Amino acid sequence: MSYMDTYKDWLSWCDEEAKAELLAIEDPKELEDRFYTELKFGTGGMRGVMGMGPNRMNKYMIRKATKGFADYLLAHCTEAERARGVVIAYDSRHHSQEFAQEAAKVLTSAGIPVRIFTELQPTPVLSFAVRYLGAIAGLVLTASHNPKEYNGYKVYDRHGDQIVPRIANDLVQCVKAVRDIPQIEAAGNPSLVQELGEETVDAFVEAVYQTSVCKGDIAPLRIVYTPLHGAGNKPVRKVLARAGFADVHVVHEQEMPDGDFSTVKSPNPEEKSALTLGLQLAEKIAADIVIGTDPDSDRIGVGVRQGSEYVLLTGNQLGALLADFLLEAHKAELTPATTVLKTVVTGELGAAIARAKGCQVVETLTGFKYIGDKITAYEQDPTHEFFFGYEESYGCLVGTYAQDKDAVGAALLVAEMAACYKKQGQTLCDRLDALYREYGYYYDAQASYKLQGIAGKEKIASIMDTLRGQQNDSNFDFIHEPNEVLDFAKGIADLPTTNMLKYKLADGSWIAIRPSGTEPKLKLYCSLVEKDERAAKAKFAAMRTDFEQMFGL
């Protein structure tokens, strides 16, 4: 059908509230964007702008996805396995709780028990709960760090890991097979619903505390914390208190859940603007560090007081610092099997540190689900023992209590790390400078290009096609004679295929380009080896300019 046919079809069966929203649309381009295609359900589940229409996140698309999910469980799991149920969690976004309840209705209508949290919870709590409760699967309604207009739907396997392609493919086909959205049964079966409360969250906090290095033996540390209106507020404060951090100051304006994220442009702790209020409070009270977690509390941002200023650490810098801190703290326990996991677009400093300390370093594709999948595999592999996993996008995990990145656990370890170095008269920035002196200067950066709608999708595809066509072109100036070109769409080693190009340079630097899997963006990453920050920034600026001019970005 044409997009107008699909639009008219929706008007014929959707409820009055949905119909009113659709009839109020005046912009033809918006109408086309809502109805020209259906929101893709892929290996990462679904994520998109909220609103009515098949290319939006709404209760009807939630019902369709969950009907496919239920059909998958009915086809691939035994009755005894299904009886273990599905755990459902949600964050502070608009409609997250409503979507969670819609999913619970569809699952229980299919005879599948559901355990659902009574209030918003971090994604890592969901991952933990699946393992802790012995559930067959998990589901979380969140769009993580995306702007307020977005929401998302993520499915987890029985190990608490977000599903990876080899598992997701059958699920995706089950979702695609669901055709008649209006007829999806969503009455639910209340007798199959169990509510989850503080007991499960407290078990999670205790599991996080078991990863503590200091176990309460800490120097006084003044911490500013902001949950950015999200789900981290209670768990982060609980685990910091459990570890003995008493001087914790929460940003009052960002403490309570708010789906509008009204104090920030975007609730993304990677961006300095999201931490502005935290930094202002830190300056006022002379805090040692600032910690911010995103709405579902799987990503962490950190600011460090260095003299009279606060320096924000990148995800790569924080990962390298944690790798160094944890490996040193546990050096007596390290074995040849000890393994640090990172993604292919994560910087190299942490890897260099791990290798220098005798550990294995294994790379996965972008997305923490691939790290989680390795954790599961290593449980049956004596040649690898998971120690620490991290990615450049401000996510990491220590321990196996969960199998997704966890900003609650990261907040604990960052605070302990800062307290330990403070006892030695150092800041985290001082320690980072020492690592640069020991291992060399690594500069990691990225640029994102938002390309929305049909035209944006086509432009992203055109750019990737052009780059592939120019790999062997001697006049290709952007990369300046790469030493090696890796096309992940063709398959690299044992990694699943993905749409990404990575250019390795002779000096050990690399540049990678890939479309985002969750947003309408094209992403450019780099890890540059240079003599100092100034030279590295100049090198990146030149590459970025060449890239943008080449493609009119």
Side-chain angles (χ1 to χ4, degrees), residues 461-489:
S462 174
I463 290 172
M464 296 303 294
D465 288 344
T466 300
L467 289 171
R468 287 191 168 94
Q470 293 182 330
Q471 285 181 27
N472 300 314
D473 187 345
S474 60
N475 296 317
F476 186 33
D477 294 330
F478 163 50
I479 301 299
H480 304 290
E481 299 182 6
N483 195 47
E484 183 181 11
V485 180
L486 302 177
D487 187 347
F488 287 78

Side-chain angles (χ1 to χ4, degrees), residues 7-58:
Y7 169 64
K8 292 173 183 176
D9 177 59
W10 272 60
L11 288 176
S12 72
W13 55 258
C14 68
D15 64 28
E16 292 303 314
E17 184 180 0
K19 189 178 297 184
E21 178 184 327
L22 294 176
L23 290 172
I25 299 172
E26 297 180 352
D27 184 355
K29 289 185 178 180
E30 181 183 350
L31 194 65
E32 180 182 21
D33 188 58
R34 288 189 184 215
F35 287 92
Y36 86 96
T37 190
E38 190 169 281
L39 200 64
K40 182 182 178 182
F41 189 100
T43 59
M46 293 190 304
R47 189 176 298 191
V49 174
M50 288 178 278
M52 283 299 152
N55 194 29
R56 292 290 187 271
M57 287 291 294
N58 54 66

Side-chain angles (χ1 to χ4, degrees), residues 343-344 363-368 370-371 488 495-498 500:
T343 71
V344 292
E363 289 192 331
T364 71
L365 291 185
T366 308
F368 214 90
Y370 295 108
I371 292 178
F488 287 78
L495 299 177
T497 58
T498 191
M500 187 177 86

Side-chain angles (χ1 to χ4, degrees), residues 385-508:
E385 182 180 6
F386 172 71
F387 181 80
F388 177 57
Y390 73 108
E391 58 184 1
E392 49 76 35
S393 55
Y394 295 66
C396 62
L397 177 68
V398 178
T400 57
Y401 58 88
Q403 291 196 353
D404 205 348
K405 53 183 178 285
D406 176 20
V408 181
L412 167 66
L413 293 170
V414 167
E416 289 193 333
M417 182 168 60
C420 285
Y421 290 133
K422 184 178 180 181
K423 191 182 291 188
Q424 300 171 23
Q426 297 183 73
T427 67
L428 295 181
C429 292
D430 293 332
R431 181 57 191 162
L432 185 61
D433 288 340
L435 292 176
Y436 286 146
R437 289 193 296 271
E438 184 174 357
Y439 294 97
Y441 187 80
Y442 290 79
Y443 179 75
D444 302 298
Q446 67 165 281
S448 295
Y449 305 94
K450 197 168 188 177
L451 299 164
Q452 294 181 300
I454 302 172
K457 186 177 181 179
E458 291 174 349
K459 187 172 180 67
I460 289 173
S462 174
I463 290 172
M464 296 303 294
D465 288 344
T466 300
L467 289 171
R468 287 191 168 94
Q470 293 182 330
Q471 285 181 27
N472 300 314
D473 187 345
S474 60
N475 296 317
F476 186 33
D477 294 330
F478 163 50
I479 301 299
H480 304 290
E481 299 182 6
N483 195 47
E484 183 181 11
V485 180
L486 302 177
D487 187 347
F488 287 78
K490 297 179 178 179
I492 301 296
D494 63 344
L495 299 177
T497 58
T498 191
N499 188 12
M500 187 177 86
L501 291 165
K502 188 172 184 178
Y503 302 85
K504 291 189 174 183
L505 310 186
D507 63 2

Side-chain angles (χ1 to χ4, degrees), residues 41-47 65 69-70 72-73 77 81 84-91 107 112-113 115 117 121-132 134-145 152-165 167-168 171 204 294 296-299 367-373 375-376 391 397 401-407 518:
F41 189 100
T43 59
M46 293 190 304
R47 189 176 298 191
F69 183 26
Y72 170 83
L73 294 174
C77 302
E81 288 173 330
R84 291 156 54 183
V86 175
V87 181
I88 301 179
Y90 53 90
D91 70 1
L107 287 168
I112 299 168
R115 285 178 273 198
F117 284 96
Q121 295 296 342
T123 290
V125 171
L126 181 281
S127 177
F128 165 82
V130 170
R131 295 168 67 84
Y132 177 69
I136 193 62
L139 174 62
V140 61
L141 283 303
T142 177
S144 190
H145 60 293
Y153 181 107
K154 296 197 295 187
V155 179
Y156 287 72
D157 66 17
R158 68 188 68 191
H159 305 288
D161 180 31
Q162 192 177 168
I163 54 172
V164 293
I167 299 170
L171 172 57
F204 166 79
D294 68 340
D296 69 327
S297 199
D298 64 353
R299 298 181 187 227
F368 214 90
K369 60 178 173 280
Y370 295 108
I371 292 178
D373 189 48
I375 296 172
T376 300
E391 58 184 1
L397 177 68
Y401 58 88
Q403 291 196 353
D404 205 348
K405 53 183 178 285
D406 176 20
T518 58

Side-chain angles (χ1 to χ4, degrees), residues 487-533:
D487 187 347
F488 287 78
K490 297 179 178 179
I492 301 296
D494 63 344
L495 299 177
T497 58
T498 191
N499 188 12
M500 187 177 86
L501 291 165
K502 188 172 184 178
Y503 302 85
K504 291 189 174 183
L505 310 186
D507 63 2
S509 302
W510 56 257
I511 298 95
I513 302 164
R514 61 179 280 269
S516 170
T518 58
E519 299 175 87
K521 290 181 178 180
L522 184 69
K523 292 191 171 186
L524 169 69
Y525 305 81
C526 77
S527 183
L528 304 179
V529 182
E530 272 293 346
K531 60 182 180 180
D532 56 34
E533 183 178 11

